[in-house]
Each structure stands twice: as C-alpha cells, then as structure tokens.
Amino acid sequence: MSAYFEKWDIIYTAKFPESVQCQVCRNYVMPCVSKCNCGHENNISNIVNKIRPVLLWIDKLNWFESMAFAIPLSTTNSMLENKFNEPIEIKDFNFIHTNKDYFRPMRAMIHQSTRIDGNALPSNEIIGKVTDNVKKEKIENKLFSWIFGGSD
C-alpha cells in the first residue's frame, strides 16, 4: 500500500460497502444483517466484494490526523447529477496511471461514501486526481450536505 495518499486522489479498493435491494419490496438497505421496512430479513455481507475506484476526501494533510471518506466512483450512468451524485468529466481529472481504460468520465456517488482509515485502502496504485477546483467544491459541498444534513 502506498504510504501517503492525498485529498482528491483516485485509487482502486478491493472491497467497498454498497447498498443492495431488499429481495421482497425492492427498497435499498445498507450492507449488514438487516430487516427491511416490509419486515423481510436480508442476510447480506458487511462488505460487498467489488473492485471499485474511489475518490479520497481527506480533511487534513494526512488521513490519520483527520476525518477521511472514500467516495465511490461509477462509470455507469456517468452524467447523472443530483443532490448526492456529481459527474466528473475527463477534463476534471489528471490521470496518472498508464492504462487508458481508466480514462473515462465517472460519477461521484456521495450517498455511498464511507469513513476510512489507512487500513481500508488495500491499493498501491493511484489512478489519478481530481484537479478542477469548481468540481472539487461541488463534491465537497454535496459531501457536507450528506454528512450533516442527512438523506432528505
């Protein structure tokens, strides 16, 4: 694992929690052993095994000195924009990785962000970095709204 990650770095994580649909009523629940509002019990993993790119949001200079979040990125439906999703165009990134497959627009899914620490980052490759300051501010504002304002 890289010894030093910075705010706005994009890395791949080997595991990332993700919401899933209830098998009965199709409402979304977060990964855990949980009952849906309809009463159906869903036995689901605490972490979904899915390799996914994430955008690191780190409050201070180092993740271990502050609150840090991993914001999952999706290449499907990449232009969806709403209260908790922000599209990121290719021009908003600085790609570091040599694999051109990573060079695509992505959507920051703020509503699926998770708190992280250094042990949650099993990656040794930084794919790139978000460089557009306007895009950074939009993502950060949506993250704060999600953290402090809830889901409504």
Side-chain angles (χ1 to χ4, degrees), residues 109-120:
M109 300 183 298
I110 289 97
H111 64 290
Q112 290 188 15
S113 298
T114 188
R115 284 284 308 267
I116 57 167
D117 62 29
N119 296 327

Side-chain angles (χ1 to χ4, degrees), residues 8-13 15-16 51-57 69-74 106 112 114 116 120-121 123 127-128:
W8 306 113
D9 282 348
I10 301 165
I11 65 168
Y12 265 83
T13 57
K15 296 180 178 179
F16 197 83
I51 295 173
R52 163 172 303 291
V54 295
L55 173 62
L56 300 179
W57 184 88
F69 284 88
I71 302 170
L73 299 172
S74 175
M106 293 185 239
Q112 290 188 15
T114 188
I116 57 167
L121 304 175
S123 174
I127 305 304

Side-chain angles (χ1 to χ4, degrees), residues 17-124:
E18 199 168 89
S19 63
V20 295
Q21 283 186 310
C22 174
Q23 297 169 354
V24 174
C25 71
R26 312 309 284 168
N27 284 331
Y28 283 92
V29 293
M30 288 304 292
C32 61
V33 176
S34 177
K35 278 190 177 180
C36 182
N37 292 338
C38 73
H40 178 73
E41 189 170 312
N42 295 280
N43 295 312
I44 50 182
S45 172
N46 202 18
I47 295 200
V48 176
N49 288 318
K50 184 172 188 178
I51 295 173
R52 163 172 303 291
V54 295
L55 173 62
L56 300 179
W57 184 88
I58 304 168
D59 186 38
K60 304 269 190 224
L61 185 60
N62 295 308
W63 63 264
F64 53 82
E65 294 175 346
S66 70
M67 183 167 47
F69 284 88
I71 302 170
L73 299 172
S74 175
T75 57
T76 59
N77 235 353
S78 59
M79 293 303 116
L80 175 67
E81 180 177 359
N82 59 29
K83 186 174 181 180
F84 297 122
N85 287 280
E86 182 62 37
I88 307 172
E89 304 281 350
I90 290 182
K91 65 180 175 52
D92 303 328
F93 290 108
N94 177 20
F95 289 100
I96 298 166
H97 204 280
T98 57
N99 185 342
K100 300 284 187 201
D101 290 340
Y102 297 132
F103 294 34
R104 58 177 70 174
M106 293 185 239
R107 173 174 46 103
M109 300 183 298
I110 289 97
H111 64 290
Q112 290 188 15
S113 298
T114 188
R115 284 284 308 267
I116 57 167
D117 62 29
N119 296 327
L121 304 175
S123 174
N124 59 3

Side-chain angles (χ1 to χ4, degrees), residues 120-136:
L121 304 175
S123 174
N124 59 3
E125 293 183 299
I126 297 176
I127 305 304
K129 184 182 279 291
V130 175
T131 54
D132 183 87
N133 289 331
V134 173
K135 191 58 63 174
K136 289 179 188 178

